[in-house]
Amino acid sequence: MIHINEPILGEEEFTAVRDVLASGRLTSWSGGGPMVRRFEEGFASYVGVREAVAVNSGTAALHSALSACGIGEGDEVIVPTFTFAATANTVLLCGAKPVFADIDGRSFNIDPEHVEGIVTPRTRAIVPVHVFGQPADMRSVLELAEAHGLAIIEDAAQAHGALLEGRKVGSLGRAGCFSFYGSKNISTGEGGMITTDDNMLAGRARRFRSQGQADPHSVEELGYSYRMPEVEAALGWVQLGRLDGFLEKRNGNAAYLTERLRGVEGVDVPFVMTGVRHAFYVYTITVSQEQYGITRDELQARLREAGVEAAVYWSVPVHLMPLYRRLLNSKEGDLPAAEEVAGRVLSLPVHPRLSEEDLDVIVGVVAG
Ligand SMILES: Cc1ncc(COP(=O)(O)O)c(C=O)c1O
C-alpha cells in the first residue's frame, strides 16, 4: 500500500531513543529535561524565534498558546472552518467562543475578507491555519490584527518549514503551534511545539504544560499535564535536522505530480501562492464530477484498488460538526466556499518515501 504519509525513521533516530532510555531520565517537570531543552532550542533557531516550548500534542500547543495569550470566557476567536477540529476545540477549552471564517476556494486557507466582516468588539484573536502546508495569506491577516488589536496564533500543525517571503511559519504571529503526530512532516509519535518571540508568553506556556507550576513547590495558576517526554524530544531533534531534506523531496514529488496531472479535465492541481515554500503535508486536488466523469469518492475508491491510500481532509467543515451545530446553531450554507471545497478535495500521497514508480501509479489512476 502506498500510504498517505509515513514517518521516516533511520539509525540516528534509533540511537537517539536508545541513548535516552539508557540515561534512565524519561521526563521532567515544567522546565523540561535535557533533550526537551535541546529540541526547543533547535526548533526556535530553525523557525527564527526566541523561544520554543515543547508539549505532548499539537492540540496542547494550541490550548497552551491561546491560554497564554489570555483568551478566556467572553472572548471570541476567529478560526477557519476548513481545518482539523483541534483549531476550534481549543478555543472552547479556554472557555471562549470560536467564530468560523470561510476560506479562499483556491488556497483552502482563511479568507481575510470574510474575517473582516465577522470581527466584533469581543474578538481577541485569529488563528489562521496553514492548510496542507501552504502559508495562509498572513499579510492581510496581520493587517487586520493590527487594525483591530488582535493576537495572531498560527496553526502550523501541517506546515513545518513552510516559508512566506523568506520567513518561516510560526514566526509570523504572536505565537505558532506545531504538531508532531505520526503522519506529520516530522514526527515524535505524538507531540507539539509553541514558538514565539514573547518571553512572557513562553513562560506562561511552560507553566501551563505542568500544572501551572513555576517550580515544583508552587502552583501559580491552573495548568495541565502537557509535558513532552525525553524520548519524543530526542526523536524530534533528529527529525528536525532532516526536515529541509524532507521538504525538498516533498516539493520535488509535488512538481512531478503537477506536471503530469495539470490539464486532466475536471481535476485542479494544488494552487501555490507566489513567494511561498509549500510544506506539502499532502498533495490536494479538487475533483469536479461534471467534467471528470466520476465523483471524488469514486476516484478515492479507484486509488484504493490500485494500492494508493488517498484521504479526504476534510469532508465536513468544523462549523457543520454536530458539536458546533448544537453550540452555535450553524447550518449548511453558512460558509459556502468551505462547504463546496469539502465536497471536492482529495489528498494524494506526496511524502519523501515515494518512488518514481509510486508516483506513476498515482498519476496512472488519476489521469486515467
Ligand atoms: C491543522 C491542525 N491543527 C491541529 C492539529 C492537532 O495536532 P495533534 O493531533 O498533534 O493534537 C492537527 C493535527 O492533526 C492539524 O492538522
Side-chain angles (χ1 to χ4, degrees):
M1 192 73 171
I2 301 171
H3 292 293
I4 183 72
N5 253 314
E6 281 179 22
I8 303 172
L9 304 170
E11 207 39 58
E12 256 195 286
E13 280 85 352
F14 284 92
T15 305
V17 167
R18 247 184 254 120
D19 287 350
V20 173
L21 294 178
S23 79
R25 184 161 183 183
L26 298 186
T27 192
S28 189
W29 63 289
S30 66
M35 281 318 302
V36 163
R37 287 201 300 274
R38 191 168 168 191
F39 184 30
E40 287 177 341
E41 277 163 28
F43 204 85
S45 146
Y46 180 82
V47 169
V49 290
R50 279 197 210 110
E51 296 265 8
V53 181
V55 288
N56 54 20
S57 72
T59 306
L62 284 164
H63 187 195
S64 306
L66 287 163
S67 175
C69 282
I71 304 299
E73 216 169 301
D75 295 335
E76 290 180 358
V77 176
I78 296 175
V79 301
T81 186
F82 193 65
T83 183
F84 184 60
T87 318
N89 287 353
T90 47
V91 175
L92 285 182
L93 286 173
C94 288
K97 178 183 171 189
V99 176
F100 290 105
D102 211 344
I103 57 163
D104 174 274
R106 279 208 306 174
S107 68
F108 312 136
N109 278 325
I110 195 164
D111 174 4
E113 257 180 58
H114 185 246
V115 171
E116 179 129 48
I118 55 177
V119 172
T120 76
R122 282 192 290 278
T123 309
R124 292 281 307 280
I126 308 172
V127 186
V129 180
H130 306 304
V131 174
F132 307 143
Q134 167 143 254
D137 177 0
M138 292 300 289
R139 193 190 285 266
S140 310
V141 170
L142 288 165
E143 271 170 24
L144 270 172
E146 178 85 39
H148 298 278
L150 310 174
I152 298 298
I153 295 150
E154 299 169 67
D155 183 338
Q158 304 186 339
H160 320 66
L163 289 166
L164 180 62
E165 284 153 11
R167 290 181 64 196
K168 294 258 168 59
V169 300
S171 71
L172 306 167
R174 179 134 181 243
C177 298
F178 294 82
S179 163
F180 305 119
Y181 177 71
S183 67
K184 295 295 192 272
N185 286 6
I186 58 170
S187 178
T188 62
E190 298 278 0
M193 190 75 83
I194 302 138
T195 50
T196 184
D197 275 325
D198 181 336
N199 298 335
M200 298 268 284
L201 191 152
R204 258 179 260 135
R206 284 206 169 85
R207 292 193 289 281
F208 196 74
R209 76 177 165 189
S210 194
Q211 308 300 336
Q213 290 175 319
D215 66 60
H217 310 287
S218 167
V219 171
E220 306 258 325
E221 55 220 28
L222 185 61
Y224 287 74
S225 187
Y226 281 167
R227 296 172 303 275
M228 175 179 276
E230 289 284 283
V231 165
E232 287 182 18
L235 259 180
W237 193 76
V238 175
Q239 290 260 291
L240 181 62
R242 304 173 71 188
L243 175 55
D244 280 330
F246 292 164
L247 291 178
E248 211 172 294
K249 194 86 185 7
R250 283 179 182 275
N251 274 279
N253 289 344
Y256 189 94
L257 290 173
T258 293
E259 209 177 296
R260 286 154 184 83
L261 297 180
R262 185 188 283 132
V264 174
E265 214 186 329
V267 167
D268 283 325
V269 296
F271 165 73
V272 181
M273 292 193 325
T274 50
V276 310
R277 170 169 80 172
H278 201 307
F280 277 110
Y281 171 54
V282 282
Y283 180 94
T284 305
I285 58 172
T286 51
V287 180
S288 307
Q289 188 196 348
E290 311 77 59
Q291 289 106 43
Y292 190 62
I294 59 171
T295 65
R296 179 267 312 272
D297 294 349
E298 282 163 340
L299 175 57
Q300 185 185 23
R302 271 192 198 173
L303 283 159
R304 196 180 309 118
E305 275 162 31
V308 179
E309 183 190 17
V312 179
Y313 304 125
W314 293 275
S315 58
V316 182
V318 184
H319 73 282
L320 295 181
M321 297 278 179
L323 171 68
Y324 290 98
R325 283 178 188 262
R326 212 163 58 234
L327 287 178
L328 304 176
N329 212 12
S330 43
K331 56 188 182 317
E332 275 87 3
D334 284 352
L335 300 164
E339 290 169 30
E340 213 263 327
V341 160
R344 297 204 293 125
V345 275
L346 185 62
S347 291
L348 306 175
V350 71
H351 60 78
R353 293 181 78 129
L354 297 177
S355 63
E356 199 165 307
E357 291 91 80
D358 294 334
L359 292 165
D360 287 338
V361 171
I362 298 169
V363 169
V365 178
V366 178

